[in-house]
Amino acid sequence: MTSFAVTAIGKVESPLTQPESAPRQPDEGAPAAWLVFEPEVLEGLHSIRPGDELILVTWLDRARRDVLTVHPRGDRARKQEGVFSTRSSDRPNPIGLHDVVITAVDGRRLQVRHLEALNGTPIIDVKPVLSRDRQR
Amino acid sequence: MTSFAVTAIGKVESPLTQPESAPRQPDEGAPAAWLVFEPEVLEGLHSIRPGDELILVTWLDRARRDVLTVHPRGDRARKQEGVFSTRSSDRPNPIGLHDVVITAVDGRRLQVRHLEALNGTPIIDVKPVLSRDRQR
């Protein structure tokens, strides 16, 4: 299968350091975090303001890539599903999508409210949320 | 900056072949398309059914990666913005996010209604849409 090189453009700074204790979704007690970007991409951030709703795209570097089926939410009482029907971080390309709200902008650091990603997680992209009307 | 190898797990089959004529968003006249997966990841698709709303993640292999500011929607009358505030395909990691609805499942091929990605675009991940309540 063909591969491409995806580059870390920044990383997450968060009090979350243990995979076992990390919430699965941001509304399950995820703390605020900082997104710290590489100086090389600073110009790409210049339109971002507090209050912006963005999609943070991460590379979940502690995930397993050889997993194709999982018990949803790790619950072994639930029937196994194909990973592409779940948000499991274990999957062939461990890409994380996180809806975030910007609460502060400080140079090449952006603060977000509620993020379930672990400290040190590489950032690979940031995009605006399109309204539901625009997405469909 | 650190890099990771992202692998194409499939590709888009679409009548769209010319970047100039491709719609920017699916509600701007995008045609139906097939998502064709590599046999190696077939097991990960087994829970997907017609009617499922999924997020297709692609690698926009014809994009430029050295671009940090753009005129929104290519309109030079509009002020340049940082790429991370836009859905431009030109960006450091050319990752595409597409909301799709599955209309047919045929082995390792999934048909979707409305897709603005070009024929041959590599697929790198597929995830379920979480409800708005779950995302925030």
Side-chain angles (χ1 to χ4, degrees):
Chain A
M1 298 193 283
T2 312
S3 286
F4 308 95
V6 63
T7 302
I9 59 170
K11 66 177 180 194
V12 170
E13 280 186 7
S14 164
L16 292 176
T17 55
Q18 300 299 321
E20 310 77 49
S21 62
R24 289 176 179 272
Q25 301 298 337
D27 58 352
E28 296 175 3
W34 285 94
L35 313 180
V36 184
F37 290 85
E38 297 289 342
E40 291 89 333
V41 302
L42 182 55
E43 200 183 350
L45 301 170
H46 79 83
S47 312
I48 295 176
R49 303 279 179 271
D52 284 0
E53 296 184 31
L54 300 171
I55 301 171
L56 172 68
V57 187
T58 60
W59 186 261
L60 302 166
D61 58 342
R62 275 153 280 193
R64 287 178 54 191
R65 302 185 65 173
D66 59 349
V67 171
L68 289 172
T69 60
V70 294
H71 295 281
R73 298 180 61 85
D75 179 353
R76 301 189 67 85
R78 292 174 66 175
K79 202 173 64 172
Q80 288 219 335
E81 289 189 6
V83 286
F84 301 123
S85 297
T86 80
R87 288 287 186 123
S88 168
S89 55
D90 296 331
R91 55 203 310 121
N93 290 304
I95 290 168
L97 299 182
H98 317 265
D99 274 30
V100 296
V101 178
I102 303 299
T103 47
V105 176
D106 172 22
R108 60 191 181 89
R109 294 158 47 89
L110 304 178
Q111 191 184 44
V112 299
R113 183 189 302 155
H114 307 316
L115 182 65
E116 74 281 19
L118 294 172
N119 186 53
T121 298
I123 295 169
I124 58 175
D125 202 3
V126 175
K127 296 179 189 295
V129 173
L130 300 182
S131 74
R132 287 271 130 172
D133 288 346
R134 298 283 312 137
Q135 287 181 316
R136 297 291 157 74
Chain B
M1 298 193 282
T2 312
S3 287
F4 308 95
V6 62
T7 302
I9 60 170
K11 67 178 179 192
V12 170
E13 279 186 8
S14 166
L16 292 176
T17 56
Q18 300 299 320
E20 310 77 47
S21 60
R24 288 175 180 273
Q25 301 298 337
D27 57 353
E28 296 174 5
W34 285 94
L35 314 179
V36 183
F37 291 85
E38 298 288 343
E40 292 88 333
V41 302
L42 182 56
E43 200 182 351
L45 301 170
H46 79 82
S47 312
I48 295 176
R49 303 278 179 272
D52 284 0
E53 296 184 30
L54 300 170
I55 301 170
L56 171 68
V57 187
T58 60
W59 186 263
L60 303 166
D61 58 344
R62 276 152 280 191
R64 288 178 52 192
R65 302 185 65 173
D66 58 351
V67 170
L68 289 171
T69 61
V70 294
H71 296 283
R73 298 181 62 85
D75 179 354
R76 301 188 68 83
R78 292 175 66 175
K79 204 173 62 172
Q80 288 218 334
E81 289 190 6
V83 284
F84 301 123
S85 296
T86 80
R87 288 286 186 124
S88 168
S89 55
D90 297 330
R91 54 204 309 121
N93 291 304
I95 290 168
L97 299 182
H98 317 265
D99 274 30
V100 295
V101 177
I102 303 299
T103 48
V105 176
D106 172 23
R108 60 190 181 89
R109 294 158 48 90
L110 304 178
Q111 191 184 44
V112 299
R113 183 189 301 157
H114 307 316
L115 183 65
E116 73 281 19
L118 293 172
N119 186 53
T121 298
I123 295 169
I124 58 176
D125 203 4
V126 175
K127 295 179 189 294
V129 173
L130 300 182
S131 74
R132 288 271 130 172
D133 289 346
R134 298 280 312 135
Q135 287 181 314
R136 296 290 155 72

